[in-house]
């Protein structure tokens, strides 16, 4: 495979607006340029291609030689049409760009698309051709449009001056229904000089250009069935990959929605649990307060009196006599109240009607049960025995 650095000179003059090539000259030229760029870059991975325009506001380099096909094709969009073609200046700028190529082992080639009249003398063009030959630069010229002012003759003389061992080519494409790309695909510009590989690259470039030749993927299966099959298999694999990616994206979106709904449910349940815990804590606090109040209400009055009296004794701690008197009075009062309380309880237990009504009010207790009657009789007997044990003065 040939290792080349190529500069393509594009004619974007006012003549490119003509419609003698479908759909017009400039669009047909753009399609042919895309095919050539694809053929050059695919025939060898180290090949580079650059673009420049020869009309408009002057010669302008769109992109220096590069192997990035996407960058090359992007330069073709939005080009301005106007002015006249400056063929000599365009070739000289292209030669200068090739001179500064990064890989010096690449062969140099210039491809010129000339679709407008050539306003240069034949001798001037021949001098330019000899200079190119001296610098080992090959030249391909694509001549299309009307043959005005001996245009074809001038361009042929230019190619003849450059040609060295049939490395340069001149191709004339007359107006007609055939596009430039359809005609150029069978010329040496695409097929090369016998080094091999350029024909395959041209077919692949046609496929990548969008099938402009009328066949699926831009390749005639009768001429190259293996390439057509490879392109079809590649297309099927790409379609399957895209479908798998779309399915995966939809599943991820569904999973995210499900997880968000679960998070919302968990948040609601946690808030409900928090409210329940709060209510339980409040109930516990209320129960604790209620139990405390019941305990306070059921405290022995003697304890209350003792605490109160103790406080009084603390207040009078400095007076020893008064403290002793208070202590004696508290002890006497405690004994009297204790005796009164015990006596009252015994009297209540001695009252059979009161005990019977008290037992009847208790849930689950049957006053007529034999075990209950025996228990009450024993308690009454003990109460009477204690009364008998008391001294006679206490009974009175």
């Amino acid at each position: 495979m040939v290792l080349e650095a190529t500069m393509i000179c594009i004619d974007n003059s006012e003549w490119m607006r003509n419609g003698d090539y479908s759909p017009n000259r400039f669009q047909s030229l753009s399609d042919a340029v895309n095919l050539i760029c694809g053929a050059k870059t695919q025939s060898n991975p180290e090949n580079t291609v650059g673009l420049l325009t020869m009309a408009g506001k002057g010669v302008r380099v769109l992109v220096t030689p590069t192997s990035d096909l996407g960058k090359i094709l992007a330069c073709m969009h939005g080009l301005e049409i106007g002015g006249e073609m400056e063929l000599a200046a365009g070739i000289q700028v292209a030669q200068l760009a090739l001179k500064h190529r990064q890989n010096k082992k690449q062969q140099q080639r210039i491809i010129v698309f000339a679709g407008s009249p050539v306003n240069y003398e034949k001798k001037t063009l021949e001098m330019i051709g000899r200079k190119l030959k001296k610098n080992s630069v090959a030249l391909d010229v694509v001549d299309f449009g009307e043959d005005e002012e001996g245009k074809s003759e001038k361009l042929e003389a230019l190619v003849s001056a450059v040609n060295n061992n049939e490395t340069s080519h001149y191709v004339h494409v007359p107006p007609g229904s055939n596009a430039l790309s359809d005609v150029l695909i069978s010329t040496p510009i695409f097929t090369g000089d016998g080094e091999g590989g350029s024909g395959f690259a041209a077919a692949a470039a046609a496929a990548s250009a969008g099938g402009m030749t009328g066949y699926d993927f831009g390749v005639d299966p009768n001429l190259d069935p293996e390439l057509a099959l490879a392109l079809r298999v590649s297309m099927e694999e790409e379609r399957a990959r895209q479908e798998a990616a779309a399915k995966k994206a939809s599943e991820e979106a569904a999973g995210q929605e499900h997880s968000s709904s679960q998070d919302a449910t968990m948040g609601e349940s946690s808030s409900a649990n928090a409210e329940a815990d709060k209510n339980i804590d409040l109930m516990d606090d209320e129960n604790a307060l209620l139990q405390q109040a019941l305990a306070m209400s059921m405290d022995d009055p003697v304890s209350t009196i003792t605490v109160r009296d103790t406080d009084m004794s603390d207040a009078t701690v400095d007076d020893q006599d008064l403290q002793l008197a208070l202590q004696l009075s508290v002890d006497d009062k405690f004994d009297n109240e204790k005796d009164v309380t015990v006596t009252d309880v015994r009297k209540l237990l001695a009252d059979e009607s009161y005990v019977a009504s008290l037992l009847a009010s208790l849930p689950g207790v049957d006053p007529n049960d034999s075990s209950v009657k025996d228990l009450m009789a024993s308690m009454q007997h003990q109460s009477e025995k204690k009364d008998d044990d008391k001294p006679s003065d206490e009974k009175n």
Side-chain angles (χ1 to χ4, degrees), residues 14 236 287:
E14 289 289 345
E236 292 297 333
N287 292 333

Side-chain angles (χ1 to χ4, degrees), residues 127-378:
M127 182 177 63
I128 294 174
R130 288 192 294 268
K131 185 177 181 180
L132 292 177
K133 184 178 180 179
K134 181 180 179 181
N135 294 322
S136 301
V137 180
L139 177 66
D140 293 332
V141 176
V142 180
D143 179 16
F144 62 102
E146 298 88 350
D147 185 9
E148 297 181 0
E149 300 179 1
K151 170 186 171 183
S152 299
E153 182 181 357
K154 295 178 181 179
L155 294 177
E156 288 180 357
L158 173 62
V159 174
S160 299
V162 179
N163 197 6
N164 183 17
N165 297 326
E166 300 299 329
T167 57
S168 300
H169 310 92
Y170 168 82
V171 177
H172 176 69
V173 182
S177 58
N178 293 331
L180 284 176
S181 56
D182 293 340
V183 176
L184 293 177
I185 202 169
S186 59
T187 62
I189 296 177
F190 277 87
T191 58
D193 302 315
E195 296 87 352
S198 297
F200 176 83
S208 64
M212 292 179 292
T213 57
Y215 300 103
D216 292 339
F217 312 111
V219 178
D220 186 359
N222 297 322
L223 298 177
D224 198 341
E226 295 180 357
L227 176 60
L229 178 61
L231 291 173
R232 187 176 294 106
V233 171
S234 178
M235 182 63 69
E236 292 297 333
E237 291 178 353
E238 178 65 19
R239 185 180 295 110
R241 186 191 65 78
Q242 292 179 357
E243 291 177 356
K247 183 178 179 180
K248 183 178 180 181
S250 61
E251 291 177 354
E252 291 178 354
Q256 291 178 357
E257 293 178 358
H258 182 65
S259 62
S260 61
S261 62
Q262 286 183 345
D263 294 340
T265 304
M266 292 177 64
E268 293 176 357
S269 62
S270 62
S271 61
N273 293 335
E275 291 293 335
D277 294 340
K278 184 177 180 181
N279 294 334
I280 292 173
D281 294 338
L282 292 176
M283 292 177 64
D284 293 340
D285 294 340
E286 292 178 356
N287 292 333
L289 292 175
L290 180 59
Q291 292 176 0
Q292 184 178 2
L294 291 174
M296 293 176 64
S297 64
M298 294 175 66
D299 285 343
D300 195 303
V302 176
S303 300
T304 306
I305 295 172
T306 304
V307 172
R308 187 176 305 159
D309 293 341
T310 302
D311 293 340
M312 293 175 62
S313 64
D314 292 340
T316 60
V317 68
D318 294 335
D319 193 342
Q320 297 294 333
D321 297 335
L322 180 60
Q323 181 179 3
L324 180 60
L326 287 174
Q327 184 66 32
L328 292 174
S329 64
V330 169
D331 292 340
D332 294 340
K333 187 176 182 180
F334 175 76
D335 293 337
N336 294 333
E337 288 182 355
K338 182 176 180 180
D339 294 340
V340 172
T341 303
V342 173
T343 302
D344 293 340
V345 171
R346 290 176 179 175
K347 290 179 179 181
L348 290 176
L349 292 176
D351 190 353
E352 296 182 357
S353 61
Y354 173 75
V355 173
S357 61
L358 179 62
L359 293 175
S361 63
L362 296 176
V365 178
D366 187 6
N368 297 322
D369 188 79
S370 60
S371 60
V372 175
K373 290 181 178 181
D374 294 340
L375 178 62
M376 294 304 300
S378 63

